[in-house]
Amino acid sequence: EGSKISNARVCVGSWRRPRWCGGDEMLFLAPMVTSVLIASAGWGHRKNLGDAGEFFGENEMVRRSLLGSGDLTALKAGSSTHFALYILIPFISAVVGYVTNVVALKMTFYPLEFTPAVLKFAQPVGQPFGLLGGWQGIIPAKAGKMAAILCDLMTTKLLDVKVMFGKIHPEKFAEALAPEMTPSMHRIIEDVARREAPEFWEGLPSYVQAELVKEAMVGAPRFLKNVIEDLQKHVYEVLDLKAMVVKLCEANKGDVVRMFQEVGESEFRIIENSGAYFGFAFGVVQMVVFYVVDVLASSYSGPLLPVFGFITGYLTNWVALKLIFRPIHPTKILCGAMTIQGAFLKRQDQVSEKFAKLNQELFCNAKNLWEEMMHGRLKGEFGELVMRNTRRFTDTTLGAAKPAAILVLGPEAYHRMREHIAEQLVRELPKCVPCSYQYQDVALEVEETVCVAMKKLPPDEFEQVLHPVFEEDEIKLIVIGGCLGALVGLAQYVLVFSS
């Protein structure tokens, strides 16, 4: 009892000084929860036995040695409890293993937002739990961090952004963009000319105005080609791919969950089913031990079911995660008769194909890439890229007539006209670019490039595609499984064996 009080003081001390980084808080909570369950089972069991002595059999009537001829006689005599109830233990243990694994997986992905919302203020940044209670799925809670890890893997091992944009053919890009961009440029040139030189422009016959605009538009395809060629040379200066992926993942947690669920669908099924198999195996051991202890020293049997429940929930989760990712490399066992490897790693080709497809569909597609350039962190740099090409387009379009234009308009008005054309084209671009997305998605070849590169990854690098989902927080999943198992063990004792 003194030891229990001492342990309780340690727990209370830990509560005052928790470490909220990593999985330490789960390691702190697990013993406390389990101790409560064991103490509850022991107290109930002692009460049912009518034992007024100490919890662990200080009363001489219930204290006995687990060795000796008297024990063998007791075992032969058997228990007063119907044997069928003992037979139930492995099956209940199998259910515990399965359910704890399923619950642990559900808690990995759901809920997408912290629940209950009123306690979100007490949720540590980047953690799935709340200091005052509540939970958010591990993946939604860490969507941004996981996205950054995967983006680093993608840009260092799978995809070169500059090479990717280099696959866009400037002429074909200009052709794809022309149906939207040409009318916009026509309108911009007319508007700017009317604003900067209203008397001159209005004094021209309409057919002359149309001819001037038409002449100016001859250079439009060249302008679009220049923009894409400039972009190909300076893509790292105008596109922050990592910021784009992190922002998309944090804003679309459901897409992140979907991606991991579909990529790891087979492995998650293994985790669920293995819980039942290993739970049954642990349950057989539990049944034998519980029967012997229940017959020879019944005062000890009360805490056993919660303890075994914790062990079953803990070990089934731990073993299941190890089956997915270990061993990393193909390993021969049984004198070379069998080769084993982590289930996820054995499916490298299938996973690569699924990951590459979803990556382009949800994240790295032309729409998201251009949205990031036009509206993201480096939008100023992108705007300047477009404007410098627009200025060049204006000067080139006027050609030999540029001195005359400066003479008629004046240097300041000419400069304003050129800047107005550039600024309006930057504003019009978001409305025009979408018509080229279909061509760009084909030309960029993101899916094909990522798929081929992933299939060639060595196993230790390929593991990092899915393992980051569990690696940092797997101790939480394992301990949660143990605590759920202990709860079931307590319920099993109360409902089946307490009487």
Side-chain angles (χ1 to χ4, degrees):
E1 292 294 340
S3 174
K4 293 177 187 175
I5 294 171
S6 175
N7 288 339
R9 286 172 179 164
V10 171
C11 288
V12 172
S14 300
W15 177 254
R16 292 185 186 121
R17 301 181 301 276
R19 294 172 56 196
W20 299 114
C21 52
D24 292 344
E25 71 288 344
M26 302 304 296
L27 295 175
F28 153 72
L29 289 172
M32 185 168 67
V33 172
T34 309
S35 297
V36 170
L37 294 171
I38 293 172
S40 300
W43 175 83
H45 193 63
R46 181 180 60 189
K47 185 175 180 181
N48 285 323
L49 291 174
D51 180 10
E54 293 296 328
F55 169 60
F56 284 109
E58 289 299 320
N59 190 309
E60 292 297 330
M61 295 183 65
V62 295
R63 184 176 58 188
R64 64 171 76 219
S65 169
L66 295 181
L67 300 173
S69 58
D71 297 329
L72 294 176
T73 302
L75 284 174
K76 289 178 182 179
S79 170
S80 59
T81 303
H82 197 288
F83 194 72
L85 296 179
Y86 295 104
I87 297 296
L88 284 175
I89 291 176
F91 295 96
I92 294 176
S93 184
V95 172
V96 170
Y98 179 82
V99 170
T100 53
N101 284 15
V102 169
V103 170
L105 283 177
K106 292 297 182 186
M107 294 180 73
T108 301
F109 297 113
Y110 300 105
L112 296 179
E113 302 296 338
F114 189 83
T115 304
V118 293
L119 296 180
K120 183 172 176 58
F121 71 91
Q123 181 187 18
V125 177
Q127 293 295 339
F129 58 86
L131 302 182
L132 300 178
W135 185 262
Q136 180 181 15
I138 291 175
I139 289 179
K142 297 178 178 288
K145 184 174 182 179
M146 290 178 180
I149 293 172
L150 286 176
C151 190
D152 287 340
L153 170 69
M154 191 162 60
T155 53
T156 56
K157 305 290 183 182
L158 307 178
L159 195 65
D160 187 319
V161 178
K162 193 168 186 177
V163 172
M164 178 180 73
F165 270 92
K167 295 177 181 178
I168 296 177
H169 197 282
E171 284 79 8
K172 290 184 178 179
F173 173 76
E175 183 181 333
L177 205 58
E180 291 290 336
M181 200 67 183
T182 301
S184 294
M185 292 180 71
H186 189 289
R187 185 176 63 256
I188 289 169
I189 292 171
E190 270 194 342
D191 290 346
V192 171
R194 188 172 284 109
R195 179 194 305 171
E196 296 300 331
E199 294 181 3
F200 171 77
W201 184 257
E202 295 299 337
L204 295 173
S206 57
Y207 71 89
V208 175
Q209 293 178 352
E211 190 62 30
L212 287 173
V213 172
K214 182 179 178 181
E215 186 67 25
M217 292 307 299
V218 171
R222 182 68 252 174
F223 160 73
L224 296 174
K225 288 168 62 180
N226 288 341
V227 169
I228 199 65
E229 287 171 354
D230 202 2
L231 174 62
Q232 289 169 337
K233 293 176 185 176
H234 303 95
V235 64
Y236 289 117
E237 299 170 22
V238 298
L239 173 64
D240 188 339
L241 186 65
K242 188 171 183 177
M244 179 196 82
V245 174
V246 170
K247 181 169 63 179
L248 285 170
C249 289
E250 290 180 336
N252 303 281
K253 298 181 180 71
D255 287 342
V256 182
V257 167
R258 176 194 163 195
M259 186 171 191
F260 280 114
Q261 284 181 329
E262 293 192 20
V263 168
E265 181 181 8
S266 178
E267 286 65 41
F268 297 142
R269 197 178 303 118
I270 289 173
I271 290 177
E272 292 176 352
N273 294 337
S274 66
Y277 304 144
F278 289 109
F280 187 86
F282 296 148
V284 172
V285 177
Q286 177 185 354
M287 175 186 68
V288 173
V289 173
F290 183 76
Y291 176 79
V292 171
V293 173
D294 199 35
V295 171
L296 298 184
S298 56
S299 63
Y300 286 84
S301 63
L304 276 184
L305 288 178
V307 168
F308 269 102
F310 182 87
I311 293 172
T312 299
Y314 188 100
L315 289 181
T316 52
N317 281 16
W318 181 82
V319 171
L321 289 174
K322 293 304 177 186
L323 282 174
I324 300 302
F325 301 109
R326 295 292 183 272
I328 293 177
H329 298 277
T331 304
K332 293 187 179 297
I333 60 172
L334 302 176
C335 301
M338 182 183 298
T339 301
I340 60 172
Q341 188 181 16
F344 179 70
L345 300 159
K346 286 198 295 186
R347 291 198 318 118
Q348 183 162 348
D349 285 355
Q350 300 96 304
V351 169
S352 298
E353 292 167 5
K354 193 69 172 178
F355 179 89
K357 181 177 183 298
L358 289 170
N359 174 59
Q360 177 170 346
E361 177 187 337
L362 301 175
F363 304 112
C364 291
N365 52 54
K367 177 181 182 296
N368 290 335
L369 292 169
W370 279 88
E371 288 287 333
E372 176 63 25
M373 288 189 289
M374 293 185 293
H375 307 295
R377 187 176 68 85
L378 300 176
K379 64 180 180 181
E381 288 80 353
F382 176 76
E384 179 55 36
L385 182 147
V386 176
M387 289 181 72
R388 67 172 172 253
N389 282 282
T390 306
R391 298 184 193 108
R392 191 181 305 135
F393 160 71
T394 304
D395 293 340
T396 303
T397 299
L398 290 172
K402 178 180 176 182
I406 295 176
L407 183 64
V408 171
L409 300 174
E412 291 185 7
Y414 177 80
H415 177 74
R416 283 200 310 272
M417 179 188 74
R418 195 173 65 158
E419 290 301 304
H420 284 155
I421 292 175
E423 290 169 2
Q424 289 197 41
L425 275 175
V426 171
R427 285 197 291 269
E428 287 289 318
L429 199 59
K431 304 174 186 175
C432 303
V433 170
C435 69
S436 70
Y437 289 162
Q438 186 175 359
Y439 160 71
Q440 289 189 71
D441 280 333
V442 175
L444 293 172
E445 296 181 339
V446 175
E447 181 179 344
E448 294 82 354
T449 304
V450 170
C451 183
V452 170
M454 277 188 75
K455 288 181 177 180
K456 293 180 180 178
L457 284 178
D460 52 342
E461 293 179 2
F462 177 74
E463 178 210 20
Q464 293 304 307
V465 175
L466 188 63
H467 203 180
V469 179
F470 300 103
E471 195 166 30
E472 183 177 344
D473 292 286
E474 62 185 17
I475 186 61
K476 293 184 178 74
L477 299 176
I478 293 170
V479 172
I480 286 170
C483 292
L484 291 172
L487 280 171
V488 174
L490 177 62
Q492 184 181 359
Y493 170 75
V494 171
L495 297 175
V496 179
F497 290 99
S498 61
S499 59

